Amino acid sequence: MQTEKPKRFALISGKGAYPRILAESARQQGAEHISAIAFRRETDPIIAKLADETRWVHLGQLGKMLEALKSCNAKYAIMAGQITPTHLFNVRMDSVMIDLLKGLKTRNAETIFGAIASKLKENGIELLPASLYMEPFMPAAGVLSARKPTESEEADIALGIDAALATSKLDIGQTVVIKEGTVLAVEAFEGTNDTIRRAAKLGGTGIVIVKLAKQGHDMRFDIPVVGTHTIKVLRKAKAAVLAVEAGRAILLEREEVIKQADRAGLALVAFNRTGETRDE
């Protein structure tokens, strides 16, 4: 797989700030031409101001997306940003997407996006890691916030890592929420923020959130991402800790995320897979 940063690439843009930040970071690192593939009802229109050209398609229209990529003469593509989960069940899919899904025994982020990556390759387009150009937003191990986790919270982080590693083998989600040694919630299809809200209803204040990519995670898609919206959800839930994996999670708008965490009294840490929250 291509690991060097190409001067030209197509950015398959989902919702949220991720596509914008990746495009800005790519420009700073020497990208000369960005072709954006944007989804109606999902992608922030600001992407059109950052890209050299933008093709708008409807979610579920895989054939149209492939046509758009070909019209951009794209050899490389990067996927960035989320897709609203419920939209995957109520969009009108074209025959190309229907045929792709029919070939999948299990449907989750890895199988669906993996199949799309294979489809791109069939059409001469290589899907690159979604972390490309995002290295400045991927923290090393350590405490990022002003507040450090307490001894009890450190124990909950360790439990959360064990639980997340176990459940990640099932490809059902990346987030586990714990409080005082009890696993309150495991992320399913609803996404991180709704998992946090669900756990807060059960455990109240002081919950500990662990977000972890599975062993051997395909870094081309579905990388753990935390942005300001998640911090707002954590603040409203009066959560105690958010722990993400060092070097394998992205903090969008990193400085603002840390600032908001401090305002909320939230301990924000990046851990190594051993559970250490310091560089080894």
Side-chain angles (χ1 to χ4, degrees):
M1 177 184 289
Q2 160 92 14
T3 55
E4 295 182 1
K5 295 173 182 176
K7 298 293 185 181
R8 300 173 60 95
F9 67 93
L11 181 57
I12 302 173
S13 309
K15 65 186 295 186
Y18 191 177
R20 170 182 63 80
I21 293 172
L22 191 150
E24 292 172 343
S25 185
R27 292 293 192 193
Q28 292 172 2
Q29 296 180 55
E32 298 174 353
H33 189 97
I34 300 175
S35 303
I37 307 300
F39 298 100
R40 301 186 189 281
R41 296 176 59 207
E42 292 285 342
T43 309
D44 188 333
I46 196 173
I47 197 65
K49 296 181 180 180
L50 299 170
D52 295 282
E53 55 182 331
T54 304
R55 304 283 196 279
W56 288 90
V57 299
H58 289 284
L59 188 64
Q61 305 297 294
L62 181 56
K64 292 289 185 182
M65 188 183 84
L66 292 171
E67 290 175 9
L69 287 165
K70 289 178 181 178
S71 71
C72 296
N73 295 314
K75 293 182 179 179
Y76 304 107
I78 301 173
M79 285 186 182
Q82 297 176 316
I83 297 297
T84 302
T86 53
H87 286 177
L88 294 177
F89 292 102
N90 58 26
V91 298
R92 180 177 295 178
M93 294 181 286
D94 63 11
S95 59
V96 181
M97 190 67 185
I98 291 171
D99 289 344
L100 181 143
L101 292 177
K102 280 182 179 178
L104 301 178
K105 293 181 179 180
T106 302
R107 298 181 185 181
N108 54 48
E110 175 140 4
T111 60
I112 293 172
F113 290 128
I116 291 173
S118 296
K119 199 71 176 177
L120 293 177
K121 190 172 183 179
E122 289 175 13
N123 286 267
I125 302 162
E126 184 176 348
L127 187 63
L128 301 178
S131 56
L132 207 62
Y133 299 108
M134 296 299 288
E135 295 85 356
F137 303 91
M138 302 176 76
V143 179
L144 307 175
S145 57
R147 187 175 84 78
K148 297 181 179 180
T150 65
E151 187 175 333
S152 173
E153 290 164 353
E154 287 278 11
D156 280 348
I157 292 172
L159 174 59
I161 293 171
D162 287 342
L165 286 173
T167 58
S168 70
K169 296 176 183 178
L170 300 174
D171 291 325
I172 59 174
Q174 302 170 331
T175 304
V176 174
V177 186
I178 312 95
K179 183 177 179 180
E180 298 174 0
T182 298
V183 176
L184 297 174
V186 176
E187 181 183 355
F189 197 63
E190 77 271 43
T192 298
N193 294 337
D194 283 342
T195 303
I196 294 167
R197 295 185 184 101
R198 177 160 54 90
K201 288 181 181 179
L202 292 171
T205 62
I207 57 177
V208 173
I209 296 89
V210 173
K211 195 169 176 65
L212 173 75
K214 73 174 187 176
Q215 187 74 33
H217 184 85
D218 192 329
M219 296 297 280
R220 294 178 299 173
F221 40 77
D222 201 31
I223 297 175
V225 172
V226 173
T228 55
H229 182 62
T230 293
I231 300 300
K232 290 176 182 177
V233 172
L234 292 168
R235 183 178 62 201
K236 188 173 182 179
K238 297 182 180 179
V241 179
L242 172 62
V244 298
E245 187 176 4
R248 286 164 59 86
I250 292 172
L251 298 186
L252 300 176
E253 301 170 302
R254 176 173 173 154
E255 291 184 3
E256 184 61 26
V257 164
I258 294 172
K259 186 185 297 183
Q260 289 190 18
D262 286 340
R263 288 174 183 167
L266 181 75
L268 178 60
V269 303
F271 58 84
N272 289 307
R273 190 147 289 214
T274 58
E276 293 292 325
T277 55
R278 61 179 183 273
D279 290 319
E280 295 181 330

